[in-house]
Short mmCIF file of all heavy atoms in Angstrom, two decimals:
data_model
loop_
_atom_site.label_atom_id
_atom_site.label_comp_id
_atom_site.label_asym_id
_atom_site.label_seq_id
_atom_site.Cartn_x
_atom_site.Cartn_y
_atom_site.Cartn_z
N TYR T 1 15.08 4.55 18.37
CA TYR T 1 15.34 4.43 16.88
C TYR T 1 14.56 3.23 16.45
O TYR T 1 13.86 3.29 15.43
CB TYR T 1 16.82 4.17 16.56
CG TYR T 1 17.03 3.78 15.17
CD1 TYR T 1 16.87 4.73 14.11
CD2 TYR T 1 17.21 2.47 14.82
CE1 TYR T 1 17.01 4.34 12.74
CE2 TYR T 1 17.33 2.02 13.47
CZ TYR T 1 17.21 2.96 12.50
OH TYR T 1 17.30 2.55 11.14
N LYS T 2 14.60 2.10 17.24
CA LYS T 2 13.78 0.91 16.78
C LYS T 2 12.39 1.28 16.78
O LYS T 2 11.57 0.85 15.92
CB LYS T 2 14.14 -0.20 17.71
CG LYS T 2 15.52 -0.79 17.60
CD LYS T 2 15.74 -1.98 18.50
CE LYS T 2 17.08 -2.68 18.25
NZ LYS T 2 17.27 -3.80 19.13
N LYS T 3 11.83 2.02 17.78
CA LYS T 3 10.47 2.30 17.83
C LYS T 3 10.03 3.16 16.63
O LYS T 3 9.02 2.84 16.00
CB LYS T 3 10.22 3.03 19.18
CG LYS T 3 8.67 3.47 19.29
CD LYS T 3 8.55 4.26 20.60
CE LYS T 3 9.05 5.75 20.43
NZ LYS T 3 8.70 6.50 21.66
N TRP T 4 10.80 4.20 16.38
CA TRP T 4 10.47 5.05 15.26
C TRP T 4 10.63 4.35 13.89
O TRP T 4 9.92 4.61 12.88
CB TRP T 4 11.22 6.35 15.30
CG TRP T 4 10.68 7.33 16.31
CD1 TRP T 4 11.16 7.63 17.59
CD2 TRP T 4 9.48 8.03 16.29
NE1 TRP T 4 10.34 8.46 18.26
CE2 TRP T 4 9.28 8.75 17.45
CE3 TRP T 4 8.44 8.14 15.26
CZ2 TRP T 4 8.20 9.60 17.67
CZ3 TRP T 4 7.41 8.96 15.49
CH2 TRP T 4 7.20 9.62 16.67
N ASN T 5 11.56 3.54 13.91
CA ASN T 5 11.80 2.68 12.60
C ASN T 5 10.51 1.88 12.38
O ASN T 5 10.08 1.70 11.25
CB ASN T 5 13.05 1.79 12.74
CG ASN T 5 13.44 1.13 11.39
OD1 ASN T 5 13.32 1.70 10.28
ND2 ASN T 5 13.82 -0.08 11.55
N THR T 6 10.00 1.25 13.46
CA THR T 6 8.79 0.47 13.30
C THR T 6 7.55 1.25 12.95
O THR T 6 6.76 1.00 12.00
CB THR T 6 8.53 -0.33 14.61
OG1 THR T 6 9.71 -1.09 14.92
CG2 THR T 6 7.29 -1.23 14.45
N ILE T 7 7.39 2.48 13.67
CA ILE T 7 6.24 3.29 13.52
C ILE T 7 6.22 3.89 12.13
O ILE T 7 5.19 3.83 11.37
CB ILE T 7 6.31 4.39 14.49
CG1 ILE T 7 6.01 3.92 15.93
CG2 ILE T 7 5.15 5.52 14.17
CD1 ILE T 7 6.03 4.94 17.04
N LEU T 8 7.32 4.41 11.64
CA LEU T 8 7.42 4.95 10.22
C LEU T 8 7.30 3.94 9.12
O LEU T 8 6.76 4.22 8.07
CB LEU T 8 8.61 5.83 10.10
CG LEU T 8 8.77 7.08 10.95
CD1 LEU T 8 10.11 7.79 10.75
CD2 LEU T 8 7.51 8.01 10.71
N GLY T 9 7.78 2.81 9.36
CA GLY T 9 7.61 1.73 8.44
C GLY T 9 6.16 1.42 8.23
O GLY T 9 5.62 1.23 7.03
N TRP T 10 5.38 1.25 9.35
CA TRP T 10 3.91 0.98 9.23
C TRP T 10 3.19 2.20 8.71
O TRP T 10 2.10 2.00 8.08
CB TRP T 10 3.41 0.44 10.55
CG TRP T 10 3.85 -0.93 10.80
CD1 TRP T 10 4.73 -1.39 11.72
CD2 TRP T 10 3.34 -2.09 10.18
NE1 TRP T 10 4.86 -2.79 11.70
CE2 TRP T 10 4.02 -3.18 10.78
CE3 TRP T 10 2.35 -2.27 9.19
CZ2 TRP T 10 3.69 -4.58 10.37
CZ3 TRP T 10 2.14 -3.63 8.73
CH2 TRP T 10 2.83 -4.77 9.32
N PHE T 11 3.71 3.42 8.95
CA PHE T 11 3.06 4.54 8.41
C PHE T 11 3.17 4.58 6.93
O PHE T 11 2.18 4.86 6.18
CB PHE T 11 3.76 5.84 8.94
CG PHE T 11 3.29 7.10 8.32
CD1 PHE T 11 2.07 7.70 8.60
CD2 PHE T 11 4.14 7.73 7.39
CE1 PHE T 11 1.68 8.90 7.94
CE2 PHE T 11 3.73 8.95 6.77
CZ PHE T 11 2.45 9.40 7.11
N SER T 12 4.32 4.27 6.32
CA SER T 12 4.48 4.21 4.89
C SER T 12 3.61 3.06 4.37
O SER T 12 3.01 3.23 3.28
CB SER T 12 5.98 3.95 4.53
OG SER T 12 6.39 2.67 5.03
N PHE T 13 3.47 1.99 5.07
CA PHE T 13 2.49 0.94 4.69
C PHE T 13 1.05 1.44 4.65
O PHE T 13 0.39 1.12 3.61
CB PHE T 13 2.57 -0.28 5.67
CG PHE T 13 1.50 -1.27 5.54
CD1 PHE T 13 1.61 -2.34 4.51
CD2 PHE T 13 0.35 -1.20 6.30
CE1 PHE T 13 0.61 -3.24 4.47
CE2 PHE T 13 -0.67 -2.10 6.23
CZ PHE T 13 -0.52 -3.15 5.32
N ALA T 14 0.66 2.17 5.57
CA ALA T 14 -0.64 2.67 5.70
C ALA T 14 -0.97 3.66 4.55
O ALA T 14 -1.99 3.67 3.86
CB ALA T 14 -0.91 3.40 6.93
N VAL T 15 0.03 4.54 4.17
CA VAL T 15 -0.18 5.52 3.07
C VAL T 15 -0.28 4.78 1.84
O VAL T 15 -1.21 5.08 0.97
CB VAL T 15 1.13 6.41 3.08
CG1 VAL T 15 1.01 7.32 1.75
CG2 VAL T 15 1.10 7.37 4.24
N ALA T 16 0.46 3.73 1.59
CA ALA T 16 0.48 2.98 0.37
C ALA T 16 -0.88 2.22 0.28
O ALA T 16 -1.54 2.23 -0.76
CB ALA T 16 1.55 2.02 0.27
N LEU T 17 -1.24 1.62 1.34
CA LEU T 17 -2.55 0.86 1.34
C LEU T 17 -3.70 1.68 1.07
O LEU T 17 -4.61 1.33 0.27
CB LEU T 17 -2.70 0.02 2.66
CG LEU T 17 -3.93 -0.85 2.67
CD1 LEU T 17 -3.92 -1.89 1.66
CD2 LEU T 17 -4.00 -1.49 4.11
N ILE T 18 -3.80 2.90 1.71
CA ILE T 18 -4.87 3.74 1.50
C ILE T 18 -4.97 4.27 0.06
O ILE T 18 -5.96 4.35 -0.64
CB ILE T 18 -4.82 4.93 2.48
CG1 ILE T 18 -5.09 4.47 3.88
CG2 ILE T 18 -5.80 6.07 2.09
CD1 ILE T 18 -4.76 5.48 4.99
N THR T 19 -3.71 4.61 -0.43
CA THR T 19 -3.61 5.17 -1.84
C THR T 19 -4.11 4.04 -2.87
O THR T 19 -4.91 4.43 -3.69
CB THR T 19 -2.12 5.53 -2.15
OG1 THR T 19 -1.77 6.47 -1.30
CG2 THR T 19 -2.06 5.99 -3.60
N TYR T 20 -3.58 2.90 -2.67
CA TYR T 20 -3.99 1.78 -3.69
C TYR T 20 -5.46 1.40 -3.46
O TYR T 20 -6.11 1.07 -4.52
CB TYR T 20 -3.05 0.63 -3.50
CG TYR T 20 -1.55 0.95 -3.67
CD1 TYR T 20 -0.62 0.34 -3.03
CD2 TYR T 20 -1.22 1.98 -4.59
CE1 TYR T 20 0.76 0.69 -3.13
CE2 TYR T 20 0.09 2.36 -4.78
CZ TYR T 20 1.09 1.64 -4.04
OH TYR T 20 2.42 1.98 -4.27
N THR T 21 -5.92 1.42 -2.24
CA THR T 21 -7.36 1.04 -2.09
C THR T 21 -8.29 2.00 -2.74
O THR T 21 -9.32 1.63 -3.31
CB THR T 21 -7.70 0.92 -0.58
OG1 THR T 21 -6.79 -0.09 -0.04
CG2 THR T 21 -9.07 0.47 -0.36
N LEU T 22 -7.98 3.36 -2.61
CA LEU T 22 -8.84 4.41 -3.17
C LEU T 22 -8.71 4.39 -4.65
O LEU T 22 -9.62 4.94 -5.27
CB LEU T 22 -8.36 5.73 -2.62
CG LEU T 22 -8.65 5.98 -1.11
CD1 LEU T 22 -8.17 7.30 -0.70
CD2 LEU T 22 -10.20 5.85 -0.80
N THR T 23 -7.62 3.89 -5.28
CA THR T 23 -7.43 3.94 -6.69
C THR T 23 -7.53 2.61 -7.38
O THR T 23 -7.10 2.41 -8.51
CB THR T 23 -6.12 4.61 -7.05
OG1 THR T 23 -5.05 3.87 -6.43
CG2 THR T 23 -6.04 6.05 -6.53
N LEU T 24 -8.20 1.62 -6.69
CA LEU T 24 -8.23 0.23 -7.24
C LEU T 24 -9.04 0.21 -8.62
O LEU T 24 -10.02 1.01 -8.79
CB LEU T 24 -8.92 -0.60 -6.33
CG LEU T 24 -8.13 -1.26 -5.15
CD1 LEU T 24 -9.11 -2.13 -4.31
CD2 LEU T 24 -7.04 -2.18 -5.67
N GLU T 25 -8.61 -0.62 -9.50
CA GLU T 25 -9.45 -0.96 -10.71
C GLU T 25 -10.68 -1.52 -10.19
O GLU T 25 -10.69 -2.54 -9.51
CB GLU T 25 -8.65 -1.85 -11.68
CG GLU T 25 -7.46 -1.31 -12.32
CD GLU T 25 -7.94 -0.58 -13.56
OE1 GLU T 25 -9.15 -0.49 -13.83
OE2 GLU T 25 -7.08 -0.08 -14.35
N PRO T 26 -11.88 -0.99 -10.62
CA PRO T 26 -13.14 -1.61 -10.15
C PRO T 26 -13.47 -2.92 -10.86
O PRO T 26 -14.30 -3.71 -10.28
CB PRO T 26 -14.06 -0.55 -10.53
CG PRO T 26 -13.56 0.15 -11.67
CD PRO T 26 -12.10 0.17 -11.38
N THR T 27 -12.80 -3.21 -11.98
CA THR T 27 -13.02 -4.41 -12.66
C THR T 27 -11.75 -4.93 -13.26
O THR T 27 -10.63 -4.47 -12.88
CB THR T 27 -14.15 -4.20 -13.69
OG1 THR T 27 -14.34 -5.44 -14.34
CG2 THR T 27 -13.84 -3.18 -14.81
N VAL T 28 -11.72 -5.68 -14.35
CA VAL T 28 -10.56 -6.23 -14.95
C VAL T 28 -9.88 -5.17 -15.89
O VAL T 28 -10.59 -4.33 -16.51
CB VAL T 28 -10.80 -7.54 -15.70
CG1 VAL T 28 -11.39 -8.58 -14.87
CG2 VAL T 28 -11.83 -7.25 -16.92
N SER T 29 -8.62 -5.21 -15.88
CA SER T 29 -7.83 -4.42 -16.88
C SER T 29 -7.77 -5.14 -18.23
O SER T 29 -7.88 -6.36 -18.27
CB SER T 29 -6.48 -4.04 -16.44
OG SER T 29 -6.52 -3.38 -15.13
N SER T 30 -7.47 -4.42 -19.27
CA SER T 30 -7.54 -5.03 -20.73
C SER T 30 -6.26 -5.73 -21.06
O SER T 30 -5.67 -5.45 -22.03
CB SER T 30 -7.90 -3.88 -21.66
OG SER T 30 -9.19 -3.38 -21.38
N TRP T 31 -5.85 -6.72 -20.26
CA TRP T 31 -4.78 -7.61 -20.65
C TRP T 31 -4.89 -8.86 -19.85
O TRP T 31 -5.98 -9.34 -19.65
CB TRP T 31 -3.39 -6.96 -20.59
CG TRP T 31 -2.93 -6.43 -19.27
CD1 TRP T 31 -3.62 -5.64 -18.38
CD2 TRP T 31 -1.71 -6.74 -18.75
NE1 TRP T 31 -2.81 -5.39 -17.23
CE2 TRP T 31 -1.59 -6.07 -17.40
CE3 TRP T 31 -0.56 -7.38 -19.15
CZ2 TRP T 31 -0.51 -6.14 -16.66
CZ3 TRP T 31 0.56 -7.53 -18.25
CH2 TRP T 31 0.54 -6.86 -17.04
N ASP T 32 -3.86 -9.48 -19.33
CA ASP T 32 -3.82 -10.70 -18.59
C ASP T 32 -4.64 -10.67 -17.39
O ASP T 32 -4.97 -11.82 -16.83
CB ASP T 32 -2.40 -11.21 -18.28
CG ASP T 32 -1.64 -11.59 -19.47
OD1 ASP T 32 -2.25 -11.63 -20.61
OD2 ASP T 32 -0.44 -11.86 -19.40
N CYS T 33 -4.97 -9.54 -16.85
CA CYS T 33 -5.67 -9.47 -15.59
C CYS T 33 -7.05 -10.25 -15.55
O CYS T 33 -7.42 -10.96 -14.61
CB CYS T 33 -5.91 -7.99 -15.15
SG CYS T 33 -4.42 -6.99 -15.13
N GLY T 34 -7.81 -10.21 -16.67
CA GLY T 34 -8.98 -10.84 -16.77
C GLY T 34 -8.87 -12.33 -16.66
O GLY T 34 -9.65 -13.03 -15.96
N GLU T 35 -7.80 -12.82 -17.27
CA GLU T 35 -7.52 -14.31 -17.22
C GLU T 35 -7.17 -14.75 -15.82
O GLU T 35 -7.61 -15.66 -15.27
CB GLU T 35 -6.37 -14.68 -18.22
CG GLU T 35 -6.07 -16.18 -18.17
CD GLU T 35 -4.65 -16.38 -18.62
OE1 GLU T 35 -4.10 -15.50 -19.23
OE2 GLU T 35 -4.21 -17.54 -18.45
#
């Protein structure tokens, strides 16, 4: 259980990181982000 809890935790991390990296804003968004 500990092993699969660790593996699936990092799997969810990888899914999130890939998703956000592929959909990153290429530049600033039109509010406080530019500042």
Side-chain angles (χ1 to χ4, degrees):
Y1 169 78
K2 288 183 177 179
K3 179 182 74 174
W4 283 105
N5 189 41
T6 302
I7 291 173
L8 291 177
W10 286 106
F11 172 76
S12 62
F13 167 85
V15 171
L17 183 60
I18 292 171
T19 300
Y20 301 146
T21 302
L22 292 176
T23 58
L24 278 179
E25 288 276 4
T27 182
V28 299
S29 302
S30 299
W31 63 307
D32 289 351
C33 302
E35 176 201 354

